[in-house]
Amino acid sequence: MKNNKEVVHCIVDYGFKRVGGKYKGRILWVLRDSVLRYGELKRAIVGVTPKMLTQTLRELEVDELVSRKVYLEVPPKVEYALTKSGQELIPFIEQLRIWAKNQMEQKNITVNSL
Amino acid sequence: MKNNKEVVHCIVDYGFKRVGGKYKGRILWVLRDSVLRYGELKRAIVGVTPKMLTQTLRELEVDELVSRKVYLEVPPKVEYALTKSGQELIPFIEQLRIWAKNQMEQKNITVNSL
DNA sequence: TACAAAATAGTAAGTACTTGCAGTAAATAT
DNA sequence: ATATTTACTGCAAGTACTTACTATTTTGTA
């Protein structure tokens, strides 16, 4: 999302710009109750390419929704966790999730993985 | 969003796919408490091109978040309103909005229009 | 000494999303 | 007869977003 991130039209617009994007919601959601290493996230978010995962995590980090902790070991170890702001977003995602669940039931849609 | 809309990885993924996109959130939000004509929406959503607005409204219609009522008059008159599913999404957007508002205050960000 | 492991970085190529611009329809006002 | 109004549609062009693939770092291990 290099997109006019500067041009915010309204508060709702601002909100969606922080959380929008192909993987952000899922990443925040899996981090809701556990700190995860890069590789663990990779396995959790089925379908992400490593490049995309890293890139998305960087954006979340810049926006201060996710924190990154590097352990100086070899092989490398990096842990990702929600920040306070990130945690505050969880109830919101939870609500979307409830809505989505109902929709999927009504429309008889099933999920590919998980 | 022609994007693998078919490939849903999890419930959260499904939810974000319905509401994601550059203008969907804003459109749903302005429709929260009033039925609007195409032209009114156009003025409300600062920055949308007519093409994009139409396209986005079509997607929302297909997803049954928004209803479209055509009056057989000349010049044409078309009204857009939230469906039941669309309305159920409002509390969610409201929550994102509260979060976003806090964030913007903390980060001292201001809005370009509105 | 070559090899594996974990977490990336860089660049080119591909695909999806948006914009811009021209054009349509049909009744009414001029 | 022509202009005006409203809500679009179609297509080409432009921009943003993703993927694919190659490469890097460092230390313990075979």
Side-chain angles (χ1 to χ4, degrees):
Chain A
M1 295 206 124
K2 183 192 300 172
N3 193 10
N4 297 329
K5 209 161 186 172
E6 323 313 316
V7 183
V8 177
H9 289 288
C10 66
I11 299 177
V12 171
D13 191 31
Y14 175 84
F16 275 105
K17 275 183 174 155
R18 297 306 107 173
V19 191
K22 195 165 184 179
Y23 301 105
K24 285 187 182 173
R26 288 165 73 194
I27 292 176
L28 294 169
W29 184 245
V30 300
L31 286 176
R32 75 188 176 287
D33 52 16
S34 49
V35 175
L36 294 179
R37 293 183 59 177
Y38 178 86
E40 294 174 318
L41 269 172
K42 177 95 201 325
R43 280 186 290 282
I45 311 296
V46 176
V48 228
T49 58
K51 182 69 192 296
M52 203 56 218
L53 179 58
T54 299
Q55 200 170 296
T56 306
L57 286 169
R58 286 293 167 285
E59 282 177 36
L60 291 170
E61 207 192 334
V62 169
D63 281 351
E64 295 174 279
L65 300 183
V66 157
S67 65
R68 180 166 182 269
K69 185 172 179 185
V70 181
Y71 291 82
L72 293 177
E73 304 176 0
V74 169
K77 174 176 174 182
V78 181
E79 284 182 345
Y80 291 92
L82 294 184
T83 60
K84 182 123 187 307
S85 292
Q87 284 170 31
E88 287 169 9
L89 218 35
I90 294 301
F92 149 87
I93 298 179
E94 210 147 11
Q95 203 162 339
L96 174 62
R97 197 169 174 284
I98 291 168
W99 177 86
K101 198 161 175 246
N102 283 330
Q103 291 290 309
M104 293 176 78
E105 280 165 9
Q106 278 176 44
K107 293 174 186 273
N108 226 59
I109 294 170
T110 48
V111 156
N112 297 47
S113 49
L114 191 150
Chain B
M1 293 206 124
K2 183 193 303 172
N3 193 8
N4 296 329
K5 209 161 189 174
E6 323 313 317
V7 183
V8 177
H9 289 290
C10 66
I11 299 177
V12 171
D13 192 30
Y14 175 84
F16 275 105
K17 274 182 176 155
R18 300 304 107 172
V19 192
K22 195 164 182 179
Y23 301 105
K24 285 187 180 172
R26 286 165 75 193
I27 292 176
L28 293 169
W29 184 244
V30 299
L31 286 175
R32 75 187 176 287
D33 52 16
S34 50
V35 175
L36 293 178
R37 294 183 59 177
Y38 178 85
E40 294 174 319
L41 269 172
K42 177 94 202 327
R43 280 188 290 284
I45 311 296
V46 177
V48 228
T49 58
K51 181 69 193 297
M52 204 57 219
L53 179 57
T54 299
Q55 199 170 298
T56 307
L57 286 169
R58 287 291 168 285
E59 283 178 35
L60 291 171
E61 209 192 333
V62 169
D63 281 352
E64 295 175 279
L65 300 182
V66 157
S67 65
R68 179 167 181 268
K69 185 173 181 184
V70 180
Y71 292 82
L72 293 176
E73 304 175 2
V74 168
K77 174 176 173 183
V78 182
E79 286 182 345
Y80 291 92
L82 293 185
T83 60
K84 182 124 189 306
S85 292
Q87 283 169 32
E88 288 169 9
L89 217 36
I90 294 300
F92 151 86
I93 299 180
E94 209 147 12
Q95 203 161 343
L96 175 62
R97 196 169 175 284
I98 292 168
W99 178 85
K101 199 162 175 247
N102 284 330
Q103 291 290 310
M104 292 176 79
E105 280 164 10
Q106 278 176 43
K107 294 175 184 274
N108 226 60
I109 294 171
T110 48
V111 155
N112 298 47
S113 50
L114 190 152

